[in-house]
Amino acid sequence: MAIPYRALFFRDHTHHNKIFTFNDPISPSIRSIRFSCGGLTRRETPSNGRLFIQNVSSKNESLCIVPGLQSERTKENGHWSTIEEPSNNLASTWEEIHGKSDWVGLLDPIDPLLWAELIRYGEMAQASYDAFDADLFSKYCGSCRYKPSEFFRSLEFPRAGYEVTRYLYASCNIHNHPHFFKKSLWRDRWSESANWFGYVAVSDDEMSKALGRRDIAIVWRGTMRKPEWIVDAMYSMSPVRQKGIPCPDRKAKVESGFLHLYTEKDENSRFCKHSAREHVLQEIEQLVRKHADEDLSITITGHSLGSALAILSAYDIAETGTDIRQDGKIVPKCVFSFAGPRVGNARFKQRIEELGVKVLRVLNVHDKVPTVPGMIFNEYAPSILQKWGCYSHVGIELALNHENSPYLKDEGDLLCYHDMEVLLHLLDGYKGKGQKFELASKRDIALVNKATDFLKDELLVPPKWMQLENKGLVRGQDGRWTQPERQDLGDHFEGVNLEASLV
């Protein structure tokens, strides 16, 4: 779903009729504004970028503030035409939006460009849920429903502006606890030990122009299970270097469950002969080399468990130097984390910050997942206790509160508070601390109830409404309802050199 970066509304205050609206779904820069001048006059102050529409009869003014714009006015065929020259847009300020200065001054009130980027990357994370086959009665449970080349189009995400270059799989051989994973009930299931866990994508030419750089996105899927998956992660911390990830600090540790999921492989599995880690590093290395002559960024995102994997993989990319270009320059790295748990201890936090990885964590203050592991022994504990292995969040926090939304019920459950679509809804209405909740984009509020029962009943949106038509069954010529066979899932590796040297 394309999200408009900006919507400008001009109104006749006498009759309260909307005179003009402007939406630009790709670029936040405003190139031109046209409106009828019948009964209206316009005065402007180019020095401060404020646009006024004045009603001659009522002398009332409608004010729209467009920061950083210079303008000139011409009259064309009886209509006023304003040509705006942007001095502050995403292409020119992307490094700040990407966390170069740790988002100082951009969060309260929230910067419109950052707001739009958070929603855009959040929707990419949501896409990993929408594409995942989580039906235990499906032969392909645990896989992605679509080929990489058809990923965004199949999800009705036609203007995503990215091309998927690789799928990421992980092995489920984790201490005999399957709560990270989904496994089909079929005996001849597609895989015994693999789950699809996300994708790598790169911005196309048009999107790269709007972004001001070629963006490499790594998107990690969160768990489709109830929060019982937390138990699988929270059994101990292990040194980062235990699984072959380099780290100069022996005391830098992360949750063993996250580390295991990221590095585990299964030689007998068609999809997990190499670990998710190996595939990520190889793909980033190839893309950085392929686009060596362009400005680049690496943006990693994920929700819930996917957030933990996003932070871990961002650290790995930086520590291994996979982000270093042939000319010696380091590609900027940013993590947009949604409802993520703590990943490691204070020494891990210190090391990832030394490497220049920027992390912005978006969460609902009522969600319990971001409070674990380390609900008691964490970054807020006395410094003397932190030496003994307290957990610590990484990066900057953007805290949202579902109680501010007039569309949501007063009370929900943990799944409601933690849901990705709920977070996107809260982002949509967030302007800053203490400011009125007001939806700014055209995201349908019905999306909140895709997998939850959190919208107020008077909105008449049924709970948990999203499902496949006929739950994936089709009726054959013999009149029987059966599950159709998919194409060989090996085509999900189309264009990927599995035999290439991996890091």
Side-chain angles (χ1 to χ4, degrees):
M1 178 185 298
I3 299 299
Y5 277 92
R6 193 184 298 268
L8 308 183
F9 298 91
F10 299 90
R11 293 184 182 275
D12 177 341
H13 284 261
T14 304
H15 302 96
H16 301 285
N17 293 320
K18 184 162 59 176
I19 301 300
F20 173 80
T21 62
F22 175 89
N23 291 305
D24 182 358
I26 297 297
S27 173
S29 61
I30 300 177
R31 301 189 182 279
S32 65
I33 299 175
R34 301 176 186 273
F35 52 88
S36 172
C37 61
L40 298 176
T41 61
R42 178 180 190 271
R43 66 181 177 85
E44 57 193 54
T45 52
S47 61
N48 62 14
R50 292 174 180 259
L51 309 183
F52 290 85
I53 308 300
Q54 182 175 2
N55 185 304
V56 176
S57 59
S58 67
K59 304 299 181 183
N60 292 327
E61 292 181 336
S62 181
L63 168 65
C64 177
I65 300 175
V66 185
L69 295 181
Q70 302 296 321
S71 64
E72 58 178 299
R73 187 181 62 168
T74 62
K75 190 172 184 180
E76 180 181 356
N77 298 326
H79 290 72
W80 289 110
S81 176
T82 305
I83 308 301
E84 306 291 352
E85 295 297 335
S87 61
N88 184 18
N89 57 33
L90 184 59
S92 63
T93 62
W94 72 266
E95 289 182 296
E96 294 299 318
I97 302 301
H98 211 246
K100 181 179 180 179
S101 300
D102 295 316
W103 298 283
V104 173
L106 299 180
L107 298 177
D108 188 21
I110 192 165
D111 180 88
L113 299 180
L114 176 59
W115 168 85
E117 286 293 87
L118 286 173
I119 290 182
R120 188 169 67 82
Y121 284 108
E123 289 199 324
M124 293 176 75
Q126 178 61 46
S128 69
Y129 286 117
D130 295 340
F132 184 67
D133 188 342
D135 183 2
L136 298 177
F137 291 92
S138 167
K139 179 179 179 179
Y140 304 98
C141 178
S143 71
C144 180
R145 299 182 188 278
Y146 315 112
K147 295 172 57 174
S149 59
E150 301 171 354
F151 184 81
F152 290 115
R153 179 167 53 84
S154 298
L155 292 169
E156 297 183 355
F157 209 145
R159 296 181 67 85
Y162 284 74
E163 299 172 355
V164 174
T165 61
R166 183 174 298 221
Y167 276 171
L168 304 174
Y169 293 87
S171 171
C172 66
N173 297 322
I174 299 182
H175 313 289
N176 297 318
H177 294 297
H179 296 147
F180 281 145
F181 296 86
K182 286 279 191 175
K183 183 180 290 188
S184 172
L185 297 176
W186 287 52
R187 291 184 178 179
D188 57 341
R189 59 181 69 95
W190 73 283
S191 177
E192 287 291 335
S193 62
N195 260 202
W196 179 79
F197 255 92
Y199 58 95
V200 180
V202 63
S203 58
D204 59 26
D205 292 343
E206 182 181 2
M207 177 60 80
S208 297
K209 183 177 179 180
L211 296 177
R213 84 281 187 189
R214 182 81 63 177
D215 184 46
I216 302 170
I218 306 170
V219 181
W220 291 97
R221 178 183 62 79
T223 178
M224 300 291 288
R225 306 298 293 262
K226 294 180 180 179
E228 60 199 9
W229 65 267
I230 289 288
V231 176
D232 287 346
M234 292 173 48
Y235 61 89
S236 68
M237 278 198 291
S238 300
V240 178
R241 58 193 299 167
Q242 185 181 79
K243 291 289 186 176
I245 301 176
C247 182
D249 187 350
R250 293 179 178 273
K251 295 184 179 181
K253 297 181 179 181
V254 295
E255 258 307 325
S256 299
F258 303 150
L259 185 63
H260 192 107
L261 180 64
Y262 181 59
T263 58
E264 181 71 6
K265 65 178 87 175
D266 183 351
E267 295 293 340
N268 297 318
S269 171
R270 183 182 186 185
F271 297 90
C272 294
K273 290 184 183 295
H274 301 294
S275 65
R277 174 188 185 238
E278 291 172 325
H279 281 296
V280 165
L281 295 183
Q282 184 196 52
E283 189 64 18
I284 298 304
E285 181 182 21
Q286 290 177 349
L287 290 173
V288 169
R289 185 169 58 248
K290 178 180 179 180
H291 300 287
D293 297 330
E294 303 178 62
D295 288 334
L296 289 173
S297 66
I298 299 173
T299 310
I300 309 99
T301 190
H303 171 259
S304 189
L305 173 61
S307 167
L309 294 172
I311 291 174
L312 186 56
S313 58
Y315 163 80
D316 194 15
I317 290 168
E319 192 71 89
T320 57
T322 309
D323 56 344
I324 300 177
R325 300 159 55 113
Q326 292 177 339
D327 58 8
K329 295 182 179 179
I330 298 176
V331 179
K333 295 159 298 301
C334 166
V335 177
F336 288 130
S337 157
F338 296 93
R342 294 183 179 92
V343 178
N345 63 3
R347 299 292 283 265
F348 173 74
K349 167 184 165 65
Q350 178 181 347
R351 181 56 185 162
I352 196 172
E353 290 176 349
E354 289 174 352
L355 291 168
V357 177
K358 303 298 183 179
V359 179
L360 180 59
R361 297 182 293 104
V362 182
L363 56 90
N364 178 359
V365 295
H366 299 279
D367 183 9
K368 297 301 182 184
V369 171
T371 69
V372 296
M375 185 171 288
I376 299 176
F377 298 103
N378 53 48
E379 62 269 18
Y380 301 110
S383 56
I384 190 172
L385 292 179
Q386 294 191 24
K387 295 180 180 179
W388 297 97
C390 287
Y391 293 89
S392 181
H393 267 307
V394 175
I396 308 300
E397 180 179 285
L398 175 58
L400 309 175
N401 188 341
H402 73 256
E403 292 179 349
N404 294 332
S405 171
Y407 303 93
L408 302 181
K409 295 177 179 178
D410 294 334
E411 294 184 0
D413 55 28
L414 180 57
L415 290 178
C416 291
Y417 303 156
H418 185 61
D419 186 75
M420 183 66 214
E421 283 288 3
V422 171
L423 269 183
L424 286 169
H425 169 73
L426 297 181
L427 267 175
D428 195 2
Y430 179 78
K431 302 295 180 296
K433 295 178 181 178
Q435 296 196 39
K436 181 181 178 181
F437 186 95
E438 185 177 356
L439 298 179
S441 78
K442 293 184 178 180
R443 295 197 86 253
D444 189 349
I445 61 170
L447 295 172
V448 170
N449 267 14
K450 278 168 65 174
T452 70
D453 182 9
F454 207 14
L455 288 174
K456 291 181 176 179
D457 292 340
E458 55 262 36
L459 295 173
L460 302 178
V461 179
K464 302 180 181 179
W465 54 261
M466 189 175 185
Q467 66 178 32
L468 287 179
E469 183 178 4
N470 297 321
K471 294 192 174 181
L473 297 182
V474 297
R475 193 173 188 177
Q477 294 181 350
D478 60 357
R480 294 180 178 274
W481 291 88
T482 60
Q483 186 177 114
E485 292 287 338
R486 289 190 197 162
Q487 291 180 318
D488 184 352
L489 290 184
D491 58 18
H492 286 191
F493 287 133
E494 183 179 336
V496 176
N497 183 6
L498 293 178
E499 304 304 323
S501 176
L502 293 167
V503 178

